[in-house]
Amino acid sequence: MSKHVYSFGGDYTEGDGKMKNILGGKGANLAEMCRTGVPVPPGFTITCQVCNLYFENGNKTPKEVNEQMYAALDKLEETMGKKLGDAANPLLVSVRSGAPFSMPGMMDTILNLGLNDKTVEGMVKKTSNPRFSYDSYRRFIQMFGNVVLDIEKDEFEHLLDAQKKKAKAKVDTDLTADDLKAIIVEYKKLVKKKTGKDFPQEVKAQLEGARDAVFRSWFNDRAKFYRKQNKIADDLGTAVNVQSMVFGNMGDTSATGVGFTRNPATGDNEFYGEFLVNAQGEDVVAGIRTPRAIVQLGDVMPEAYQQLRDITAKLEKHYRDIQDFEFTIEDTKLWMLQTRNGKRTGKAAVKIAVDHCNEGLISKKEAVLRVDPNQLDQLLHPMLDPKALKSLVKLGKGLPASPGAAVGKIVFTADAAVEQATKAPVLLVRKETAPDDIHGMEAAKGILTSRGGMTSHAAVVARGMGTPCVAGAEMVGVDERSKTLTATVDGKKVVLKEGDWLSLDGSTGEIFAGQAQTTEADPSSGELAQFMSWADEFRGNFGVRANADIPRDAKTARKFGAQGIGLCRTEHMFFGEDRLPFVQAMILSENEKDRRKALLKLLPMQRADFAGLFKAMDGFPVVIRTLDPPLHEFVPKREELMVDLAKLPHADAKLKKEMAGRYKMPVGELKKALPALLKRVEELHEFNPMLGHRGCRLGITYPEITEMQARAIFEAAVQVAKKGVKVIPEVMIPLIGSVAELENQKAIVKRVAEEVLEKAGMKKMHYLIGTMIEIPRAALTADKVAQEAEFFSFGTNDLTQTTMGLSRDDYTKFSKDYENRKIFKADPFAVLDQEGVGKLVKLAVDLGRSTRPDLEVGICGEHGGEPSSVEFCYNVGMNYVSCSPFRVPIARLAAAQAALSDGGGEKMRTA
């Protein structure tokens, strides 16, 4: 027979701290504390596996578990010298959850189990404290009624408040024993009314009911949501801990509290927590009474406080981590109810890891493995000051698309963002953004969209810029015509207009009306700088680059530790106000001569762009992708043009002036130019532009575009190299599906490069020409592609779309259903699909290196900054990952952790 129940305390401690998968975190730690001599109330733990058996058995606990549970209860009664249900000397127990991973507050707890109409009178006689006894009984009825019998907590609270009002009691502790007896009568009436049955007096029925209710709480909504957010598996189950009660509500010599051995918000080495005198555990966290700072316990009960300090310090050294503990003092005697590794902020996680290492408690390796890479997000972006949020109105919560805090005045167009940003910080609010909003997105401090997902245009560009962004905030109405933002808060409509203040938290997705205060991040000093230097020691030769399009982003990337640029998207440079007219002129040209004339005007602009990037990177490689999006993205929308053409014959001077500004042309040219523009837009229209005339296909059709960009790249390289700066250009051809496409484009780039470098006397300058692998056929034929490509960079955004047949912009419409039904473990555009897309990636790496063993391989899609995807990239032998500048430290840490648990990637890189 399998063992399902483990005793702890007294002479019967059967488990230890290594058994978290069996006993859950709480049960394992209770057993471990007992073994180290810490005063722990005895009890027993029913294993996590029984939780799964309960659900498999039709929500019934198997008979053999009951047999083992009652055998453990016999041991507990023997240890305590009390019996459950004994009217003269009753044993009372608590029943608590405890999963293998900490899930604070997500599941249910019941205290004072074993009380009934008889045992409560036995407690009165034994303790000579009727108020304490009746208070414990009323608490038990309320908790059992809520957790086991599904009666809303508010219904009990309503009865409690009514009695307090009747007795003129300000707080619970003002109630007398008679008041509490009256509440018990009302509580029992409520139970009878709601369930049709009397409150259960049989203590074994109480125990079995409470145990099963804790199992059921594994699948309550908040527990399911918490597991999803923290990537905890549903099949782990929760253990149930049955523990003899100790009472903090026996009078002024009793207390209860919770605490941390260090500050979990800052990481400072200070005793941190709260307590209440004459209270039970739930009172501290329920907010009914205001708790006191734990250090004040030293004034109230100095001996117990010193013992608590000694024990918790011992526990931190034993577990070698910050401890989150619960305690009760019963008539001056201290009991420890729980300890576990404490949840902490990103700032605290880094500081505690560094301090513990410097104190000799853990090694550098352990310190690097201690911090979740995603937690670094909190340290790298400005954050909203929590104190300032209390005075603001929360409008809702969208998708946390790009982390950090942003506060500014609302604008509804990109042009308005550019115009107003010189006067005050602005937030760009749109239903959704488009590529031609890039100038406004750059000017804005933050971006809010009511549509789109985590990999929408707004999200991707914002992350690249390091601009906070909340996307897909469907609860917010955005009317760009009336320039209003609306939301419903507590049944009332809130309307914000252009110029009103708005605050966004891109790390949580929260949106606030009003002007919040922010705090800035500094990654270059203190514990974070020391911690990241340790991470880089273990990362070895695996590189981390950044996606950056302008020198400002490149400088930010270097500040965060980037070792080059893994993706420069040249199309973003085309949307500048000074460039777009020339881009449009090139598109509207009907022959190569006119196209070249327009491109000639763009050449010095592109050259200056690339020179800025090379200078900022100073000796690190810069991967520049040639033009990728379809040409229609650079011209006005067809529908808008048709509307303006219809209005033009009737337009007054003011409207014509607005149109001329919109289309960047003189008023006198509107009549002739708009029809021609519409004609060209119609010609460029595609039913599926994502798979249409874009990427290398543009360069093959219009080789002069590739030629101009190549010339700008190498002329910039020469210009910067002559100033003594080391330059390493890597030219990337996008969207190839066959080696022939790459061969065509490579020939142009190589011809121009050799011409420019020979003219400058720099023929020995090192450069690479490679390709972006983002179409399955390119991956499947990577051995042939590598005959021409000197490097591969996986564009996993498009590779995910083309492999899975998913539109990343439309997936959000059904993504929650897919993720909730476990069809997808996670959003495949946020976390790399290793089983499908990942298999193609590994195949391409292996095929490519079979042809070219020294092939440089990286990734530049959104997955390059996601920790589990970084680990995958490391393990398949890539040379680097590239991500948005603000995710560079996250990728550095994820790579270090991958190196410390190397799955063979280092061997593949150095083979």
Side-chain angles (χ1 to χ4, degrees):
M1 181 188 295
S2 299
K3 187 170 179 60
H4 297 300
V5 182
Y6 290 73
S7 295
F8 59 84
D11 300 324
Y12 296 107
T13 299
E14 296 173 310
D16 60 41
K18 298 176 182 177
M19 299 176 66
K20 289 185 179 180
N21 287 336
I22 297 171
L23 303 177
K26 185 175 294 182
N29 286 332
L30 286 169
E32 187 72 10
M33 282 196 292
C34 288
R35 289 185 180 277
T36 59
V38 172
V40 174
F44 55 86
T45 300
I46 304 167
T47 67
C48 298
Q49 289 67 37
V50 176
C51 182
N52 289 327
L53 290 174
Y54 172 81
F55 290 111
E56 290 168 9
N57 201 37
N59 287 22
K60 292 180 181 177
T61 301
K63 181 181 177 183
E64 65 185 70
V65 174
N66 277 335
E67 291 171 354
Q68 291 186 33
M69 181 180 77
Y70 286 118
L73 179 60
D74 289 342
K75 292 179 184 178
L76 177 59
E77 290 174 334
E78 181 184 339
T79 299
M80 297 301 294
K82 301 177 181 180
K83 277 192 169 292
L84 193 69
D86 185 340
N89 189 21
L91 171 69
L92 302 187
V93 296
S94 63
V95 181
R96 302 172 187 258
S97 62
F101 294 92
S102 178
M103 296 175 58
M106 295 301 109
M107 291 174 289
D108 292 325
T109 293
I110 295 168
L111 305 179
N112 308 327
L113 188 143
L115 282 172
N116 56 27
D117 293 347
K118 292 180 180 179
T119 56
V120 72
E121 297 304 331
M123 275 190 72
V124 171
K125 291 178 183 177
K126 188 167 180 64
T127 63
S128 301
N129 192 337
R131 192 203 173 281
F132 153 71
S133 303
Y134 295 127
D135 183 46
S136 298
Y137 193 20
R138 73 94 187 162
R139 289 170 182 269
F140 172 55
I141 296 172
Q142 180 169 341
M143 296 183 88
F144 192 94
N146 173 237
V147 173
V148 182
L149 304 178
D150 292 324
I151 302 171
E152 290 294 328
K153 190 182 293 185
D154 288 348
E155 301 212 37
F156 291 104
E157 291 292 342
H158 175 73
L159 295 174
L160 178 64
D161 289 341
Q163 185 63 36
K164 283 166 68 177
K165 187 175 181 181
K166 182 178 178 182
K168 297 181 180 179
K170 290 183 179 180
V171 292
D172 297 1
T173 50
D174 293 337
L175 294 169
T176 66
D178 287 338
D179 291 329
L180 292 164
K181 286 173 74 173
I183 292 169
I184 290 168
V185 171
E186 294 303 314
Y187 276 10
K188 288 162 72 177
K189 286 180 182 177
L190 176 63
V191 170
K192 181 73 180 259
K193 178 182 175 183
K194 291 293 181 180
T195 67
K197 297 178 182 177
D198 291 325
F199 184 79
Q201 299 293 307
E202 169 53 50
V203 291
K204 288 188 175 180
Q206 292 177 0
L207 180 58
E208 292 177 15
R211 175 202 60 199
D212 293 352
V214 171
F215 285 146
R216 289 195 298 275
S217 72
W218 176 251
F219 281 110
N220 69 34
D221 289 340
R222 65 182 185 274
K224 287 192 292 184
F225 180 81
Y226 185 89
R227 288 199 298 276
K228 181 181 176 184
Q229 293 296 98
N230 291 276
K231 298 180 174 62
I232 297 172
D234 282 339
D235 60 0
L236 293 177
T238 180
V240 174
N241 298 287
V242 179
Q243 191 172 17
S244 54
M245 283 293 303
V246 288
F247 298 95
N249 60 330
M250 289 188 72
D252 291 340
T253 58
S254 300
T256 191
V258 297
F260 293 82
T261 50
R262 302 191 184 217
N263 188 316
T266 66
D268 290 339
N269 190 1
E270 60 184 15
F271 206 46
Y272 182 96
E274 296 174 323
F275 78 101
L276 281 170
V277 172
N278 193 19
Q280 283 200 313
E282 75 271 18
D283 295 338
V284 179
V285 294
I288 298 168
R289 292 166 59 189
T290 304
R292 300 166 66 179
I294 199 167
V295 292
Q296 295 177 21
L297 183 61
D299 300 326
V300 181
M301 302 176 193
E303 290 184 14
Y305 176 72
Q306 189 56 52
Q307 187 185 8
L308 179 65
R309 291 299 306 263
D310 293 343
I311 288 172
T312 53
K314 178 181 175 182
L315 288 172
E316 179 169 293
K317 285 184 179 178
H318 181 79
Y319 286 102
R320 300 187 309 130
D321 204 352
I322 176 180
Q323 291 302 291
D324 168 5
F325 57 85
E326 296 178 19
F327 67 93
T328 286
I329 300 168
E330 181 183 271
D331 195 19
T332 72
K333 181 173 174 56
L334 174 69
W335 294 94
M336 299 301 294
L337 306 183
Q338 172 173 288
T339 193
R340 60 189 172 197
N341 293 341
K343 296 284 185 182
R344 66 210 82 174
T345 64
K347 180 180 180 181
V350 170
K351 180 169 175 53
I352 291 168
V354 170
D355 286 351
H356 275 165
C357 182
N358 290 337
E359 292 164 15
L361 203 59
I362 60 175
S363 66
K364 279 186 185 179
K365 176 179 176 180
E366 288 172 302
V368 168
L369 291 170
R370 276 281 165 90
V371 180
D372 180 344
N374 284 317
Q375 284 188 296
L376 295 184
D377 242 358
Q378 299 169 26
L379 284 80
L380 305 176
H381 296 268
M383 293 177 285
L384 294 180
D385 185 345
K387 297 175 184 175
L389 297 181
K390 295 177 182 178
S391 61
L392 303 184
V393 177
K394 183 176 176 179
L395 301 179
K397 189 174 182 180
L399 298 172
S402 183
V407 180
K409 292 186 174 183
I410 298 171
V411 292
F412 290 94
T413 67
D415 289 340
V418 173
E419 182 183 345
Q420 297 299 322
T422 58
K423 305 169 188 174
V426 297
L427 299 188
L428 179 60
V429 177
R430 304 279 282 159
K431 287 182 180 176
E432 56 191 347
T433 61
D436 55 5
D437 288 326
I438 189 74
H439 58 299
M441 297 174 76
E442 184 179 352
K445 295 293 184 184
I447 299 158
L448 170 65
T449 68
S450 59
R451 297 176 185 165
M454 295 289 280
T455 53
S456 63
H457 176 268
V460 172
V461 174
R463 282 194 290 273
M465 292 177 167
T467 301
C469 175
V470 175
E474 296 176 355
M475 76 297 300
V476 170
V478 176
D479 190 328
E480 291 156 355
R481 287 183 177 273
S482 66
K483 297 184 178 180
T484 58
L485 180 155
T486 58
T488 301
V489 180
D490 296 330
K492 295 180 181 179
K493 188 175 182 180
V494 177
V495 180
L496 300 180
K497 299 176 182 177
E498 189 157 86
D500 288 343
W501 285 94
L502 189 70
S503 301
L504 305 177
D505 189 334
S507 301
T508 65
E510 292 174 303
I511 309 157
F512 299 90
Q515 185 179 7
Q517 300 299 313
T518 62
T519 56
E520 291 294 327
D522 179 13
S524 60
S525 62
E527 286 88 1
L528 179 58
Q530 185 176 11
F531 178 80
M532 293 309 302
S533 72
W534 295 347
D536 290 338
E537 286 179 29
F538 294 111
R539 179 162 55 90
N541 65 356
F542 185 80
V544 177
R545 302 183 187 180
N547 301 341
D549 308 328
I550 57 176
R552 185 190 69 192
D553 292 346
K555 289 173 184 174
T556 300
R558 286 290 297 119
K559 183 174 75 171
F560 284 116
Q563 298 164 299
I565 292 175
L567 174 62
C568 167
R569 292 158 287 208
T570 55
E571 61 270 12
H572 286 173
M573 301 166 176
F574 283 5
F575 284 109
E577 282 196 38
D578 56 337
R579 299 134 190 257
L580 194 56
F582 301 124
V583 176
Q584 292 180 345
M586 181 267 293
I587 293 169
L588 292 170
S589 299
E590 296 182 356
N591 56 64
E592 183 182 334
K593 182 181 177 183
D594 289 343
R595 276 193 298 276
R596 286 187 177 276
K597 185 178 177 182
L599 287 167
L600 195 59
K601 293 179 179 178
L602 286 170
L603 175 62
M605 299 175 183
Q606 286 257 279
R607 185 170 56 225
D609 293 330
F610 299 143
L613 294 177
F614 290 139
K615 185 178 178 182
M617 281 296 119
D618 190 11
F620 287 112
V622 177
V623 177
I624 299 171
R625 182 178 70 185
T626 54
L627 190 63
D628 184 45
L631 295 180
H632 76 80
E633 289 196 7
F634 299 96
V635 294
K637 291 182 179 177
R638 175 172 169 266
E639 293 75 13
E640 293 174 359
L641 265 171
M642 293 174 71
V643 170
D644 284 342
L645 264 174
K647 288 181 178 178
L648 186 60
H650 316 287
D652 57 18
K654 183 181 177 183
L655 181 56
K656 287 180 179 178
K657 187 177 178 182
E658 286 180 9
M659 288 185 186
R662 188 156 55 246
Y663 295 111
K664 317 295 183 194
M665 62 180 68
V667 171
E669 291 184 16
L670 287 172
K671 187 175 179 181
K672 179 182 177 183
L674 289 192
L677 187 56
L678 178 61
K679 179 174 179 290
R680 185 60 174 142
V681 168
E682 294 275 15
E683 291 170 354
L684 293 172
H685 176 73
E686 294 178 299
F687 288 104
N688 190 350
M690 205 258 318
L691 297 178
H693 194 199
R694 55 170 284 222
C696 67
R697 300 160 191 172
L698 278 176
I700 291 169
T701 306
Y702 304 120
E704 55 272 18
I705 297 177
T706 304
E707 185 179 317
M708 182 278 288
Q709 292 199 295
R711 189 170 300 281
I713 290 168
F714 288 99
E715 286 182 356
V718 167
Q719 183 186 102
V720 174
K722 283 183 176 179
K723 295 178 181 178
V725 177
K726 186 178 179 183
V727 177
I728 307 176
E730 299 188 6
V731 183
M732 181 162 67
I733 309 301
L735 209 78
I736 70 110
S738 72
V739 67
E741 290 173 310
L742 177 58
E743 192 175 9
N744 174 287
Q745 291 293 281
K746 180 180 177 181
I748 297 171
V749 174
K750 193 169 184 178
R751 172 176 56 80
V752 173
E754 290 177 354
E755 176 190 322
V756 172
L757 295 178
E758 185 172 5
K759 184 178 178 181
M762 293 185 177
K763 290 179 68 176
K764 293 185 178 180
M765 179 183 284
H766 174 70
Y767 69 91
L768 299 178
I769 302 173
T771 190
M772 203 168 186
I773 304 290
E774 51 193 326
I775 291 178
R777 193 181 190 281
L780 293 169
T781 60
D783 51 342
K784 292 183 173 61
V785 174
Q787 292 170 4
E788 295 291 333
E790 294 168 305
F791 70 88
F792 286 173
S793 182
F794 288 92
T796 48
N797 297 346
D798 277 355
L799 188 60
T800 297
Q801 290 195 98
T802 52
T803 301
M804 300 184 73
L806 281 177
S807 162
R808 69 181 179 190
D809 293 319
D810 297 319
Y811 167 64
T812 54
K813 295 176 182 176
F814 58 91
S815 60
K816 288 181 181 177
D817 285 338
Y818 263 52
E819 289 164 37
N820 288 339
R821 295 170 192 269
K822 312 295 182 189
I823 293 173
F824 290 162
K825 293 177 183 176
D827 180 348
F829 295 106
V831 180
L832 186 69
D833 163 39
Q834 296 183 22
E835 291 179 1
V837 179
K839 191 173 286 187
L840 265 182
V841 169
K842 187 178 187 313
L843 176 68
V845 172
D846 293 344
L847 285 173
R849 289 214 172 115
S850 71
T851 297
R852 191 185 291 266
D854 62 347
L855 183 73
E856 179 185 274
V857 182
I859 182 176
C860 60
E862 283 297 297
H863 302 100
E866 193 282 315
S868 68
S869 306
V870 172
E871 182 182 17
F872 171 83
C873 295
Y874 182 95
N875 288 335
V876 298
M878 288 192 193
N879 299 93
Y880 68 87
V881 295
S882 186
C883 55
S884 64
F886 282 87
R887 292 195 72 82
V888 165
I890 294 169
R892 288 163 62 195
L893 178 55
Q897 292 180 351
L900 288 169
S901 54
D902 187 10
E906 188 61 29
K907 184 178 178 181
M908 284 183 270
R909 268 183 295 282
T910 56

